[in-house]
Amino acid sequence: MKRLLTNIKKLVHVENQPVPYLKGKAMNDLTSIDDAFLEIEDGKIVRFGPMTDLHGSDISGTTEYLDCTGQWVMPGLVDSHTHLIFAEPRAREFEDRIHGLTYEEIAARGGGILNSAAKLAEMPEEQLYDDAMARLHEMIQTGTTAIEIKSGYGLSTEAELKMLRVAKRIKRRAPIPVKITFLGAHAIPPEYKENPDGYVDLVIDEMLPKVVEERLADYIDVFCEKGYFTVEQTDRILKAGMAAGLRPKVHVNQFNAIGGIQTCVENKAISVDHLEVMDEGDFKALANSDCMPVALPSCSFFLGIPYTPARKIIDSNLPLALATDYNPGSTPSGNLLFVWSLACIQMKLTPTEALAALTHNAAYALELNDELGSIAVGKTANLLVSEPMDSLGHIPYHFGRNSLSRVLINGNKYTHLEP
């Protein structure tokens, strides 16, 4: 099936020779084509260029035309860090924070991750699946065209496997690419409070072999942070994951810089995520690696904590990706358009830099950069069509509003999620 998008006001981030990721000034230097066309066949981008290159003989056999007069077309957004599967929201903890309790204080009294784990253990897999698919549908409506899903609300072998099986089912049936991350080391369960190394042993010796045996995950993750998992424990888990064929994608530096980034780089992590607190050693470690820094501004917004120093990261000639961190405790939103706004308003990225972080670099953080992230021949036609607008800044400027006219998945207009 052949589709043709015509009269595109601006076709954004086209690449004739794709690169794995963008860093530094290159993130603000995306190539665009004015008054453009784009041709799609069998779900792939097969041709694009200025309208003057399009002739009558070129469009024979076209099944559908989409007139994009006044509209911009760009790569679909990619969410490389989510906790999409959870049992129920944690609105009560939201009120606790309003009354002055910190995230750490709520966690210390049994809230936070432990609360989500208790609720998840009680919920049937079918309900977890239905709820997560409904959330995914909402996310696609606001431009998400590929996603990562983590476990981590199980904290027992049985419950972690339950989460991952739900994620695998979503991966099979979702209309967009899905990557899965095993996050058994998300928090220390109460029964291991006095023996955290014993829980690390459980993750490595019992959970991980079953995850690998059932082929339930693409990556491995750890919450490397004071009060959660030490650098040494993180190193053990990441090495075990790598030996089992799971590359690391790691929660690190959310509240403290304790050397976790260096350990992640040494263990060939594809990404390090959060990074609200960074020191000079962290910048040096990232400069000598191909590890993608991932900022989660919605989490900073919701918790009232510092934002990742995104401006300094880019100005240090490093790459940067953006993601939602969608979860019930610290980021109850999967809206990447709002992340785009926060990146510009709070972290001082240009709209173009933020788009690069949400597409090209986010795709790299999921090892999908050969498939998604830019307008290039052979890539999947997961695309966004804006409403009529005069600048890229129109989208982040209208924070909290969906400025997209349509989302194309495999070249088709996305309307609803199949059950």
Side-chain angles (χ1 to χ4, degrees):
M1 184 170 289
K2 183 176 175 181
R3 286 183 170 81
L4 193 65
L5 281 61
T6 60
N7 301 312
I8 302 167
K9 183 170 184 176
K10 192 178 287 284
L11 184 61
V12 184
H13 192 21
V14 301
E15 283 193 305
N16 291 314
Q17 294 181 318
V19 297
Y21 59 83
L22 302 170
K23 63 180 182 177
K25 293 180 180 179
M27 292 182 64
N28 200 43
D29 191 26
L30 306 184
T31 300
S32 300
I33 301 174
D34 293 330
D35 191 22
F37 74 91
L38 184 143
E39 184 179 332
I40 300 166
E41 190 165 358
D42 297 327
K44 301 290 185 181
I45 298 169
V46 296
R47 188 179 173 212
F48 56 85
M51 284 294 293
T52 52
D53 288 353
L54 189 65
H55 305 289
S57 60
D58 297 324
I59 59 178
S60 60
T62 298
T63 305
E64 181 181 348
Y65 295 91
L66 179 60
D67 185 348
C68 298
T69 299
Q71 299 171 308
W72 295 41
V73 174
M74 63 203 76
L77 310 183
V78 175
D79 199 338
S80 69
H81 184 127
T82 85
H83 304 258
L84 187 71
I85 300 167
F86 55 86
E88 61 183 57
R90 303 206 306 253
R92 184 171 297 176
E93 294 177 13
F94 171 67
E95 295 186 41
D96 288 339
R97 280 196 299 277
I98 291 173
H99 292 303
L101 291 180
T102 67
Y103 183 85
E104 296 94 326
E105 288 170 338
I106 291 169
R109 66 178 196 174
I113 296 165
L114 298 180
N115 183 17
S116 286
K119 299 295 184 183
L120 185 133
E122 300 170 356
M123 183 170 282
E125 286 190 24
E126 194 66 29
Q127 186 66 52
L128 289 171
Y129 170 80
D130 289 343
D131 291 351
M133 286 294 263
R135 295 179 195 116
L136 183 63
H137 169 67
E138 291 181 1
M139 295 175 73
I140 296 173
Q141 301 282 10
T142 52
T144 297
T145 64
I147 191 172
E148 180 250 25
I149 303 173
K150 300 181 187 293
S151 67
Y153 293 133
L155 305 185
S156 71
T157 302
E158 180 182 359
E160 283 293 311
L161 293 176
K162 178 166 77 169
M163 285 194 75
L164 291 170
R165 288 172 186 140
V166 171
K168 187 174 182 178
R169 184 179 172 192
I170 293 170
K171 184 174 186 173
R172 287 197 305 265
R173 304 190 69 176
I176 63 174
V178 174
K179 291 293 186 84
I180 303 172
T181 300
F182 168 48
L183 179 55
H186 200 189
I188 305 292
E191 61 269 28
Y192 285 93
K193 184 177 181 180
E194 303 303 322
N195 182 24
D197 285 330
Y199 182 67
V200 172
D201 292 339
L202 181 72
V203 170
I204 293 172
D205 298 333
E206 183 174 307
M207 294 185 190
L208 181 58
K210 293 182 179 180
V211 171
V212 173
E213 179 184 358
E214 296 187 36
R215 298 182 180 180
L216 295 176
D218 303 292
Y219 304 108
I220 192 164
D221 193 353
V222 180
F223 189 5
C224 181
E225 182 56 74
K226 289 183 179 178
Y228 293 86
F229 295 89
T230 67
V231 172
E232 292 74 22
Q233 291 167 338
T234 298
D235 184 61
R236 281 188 61 204
I237 294 169
L238 298 188
K239 281 182 166 55
M242 284 287 282
L246 303 183
R247 193 171 178 187
K249 285 175 60 65
V250 188
H251 285 66
V252 67
N253 285 51
Q254 183 173 4
F255 303 110
N256 301 277
I258 58 175
I261 288 178
Q262 290 85 335
T263 295
C264 294
V265 168
E266 290 168 4
N267 284 286
K268 309 298 182 185
I270 184 68
S271 74
V272 284
D273 302 27
H274 272 295
L275 313 182
E276 287 88 345
V277 179
M278 296 180 69
D279 60 27
E280 290 306 312
D282 297 326
F283 282 90
K284 290 178 182 178
L286 290 169
N288 296 312
S289 78
D290 288 316
C291 181
M292 180 62 64
V294 179
L296 310 170
S298 296
C299 179
S300 297
F301 171 81
F302 192 73
L303 294 182
I305 62 176
Y307 286 82
T308 301
R311 183 74 268 153
K312 183 175 180 179
I313 289 172
I314 295 174
D315 291 344
S316 298
N317 198 36
L318 292 171
L320 180 74
L322 292 163
T324 62
D325 193 23
Y326 192 7
N327 73 79
S330 64
T331 317
S333 169
N335 189 334
L336 279 174
L337 296 178
F338 183 58
V339 170
W340 193 344
S341 295
L342 288 176
C344 296
I345 297 167
Q346 296 293 340
M347 301 197 297
K348 307 306 179 186
L349 270 63
T350 68
T352 302
E353 289 170 333
L355 178 63
L358 286 162
T359 56
H360 201 138
N361 288 352
Y364 174 86
L366 290 183
E367 298 180 293
L368 290 172
N369 47 293
D370 289 338
E371 181 181 342
L372 301 169
S374 67
I375 306 295
V377 172
K379 288 196 173 184
T380 301
N382 285 5
L383 306 168
L384 308 183
V385 181
S386 77
E387 63 189 7
M389 63 186 197
D390 292 322
S391 75
L392 192 60
H394 176 97
I395 295 176
Y397 167 78
H398 289 285
F399 72 92
R401 173 171 171 258
N402 190 340
S403 299
L404 303 178
S405 169
R406 65 183 65 198
V407 177
L408 300 181
I409 303 297
N410 298 316
N412 301 311
K413 181 180 179 181
Y414 182 77
T415 54
H416 68 282
L417 202 61
E418 294 294 338

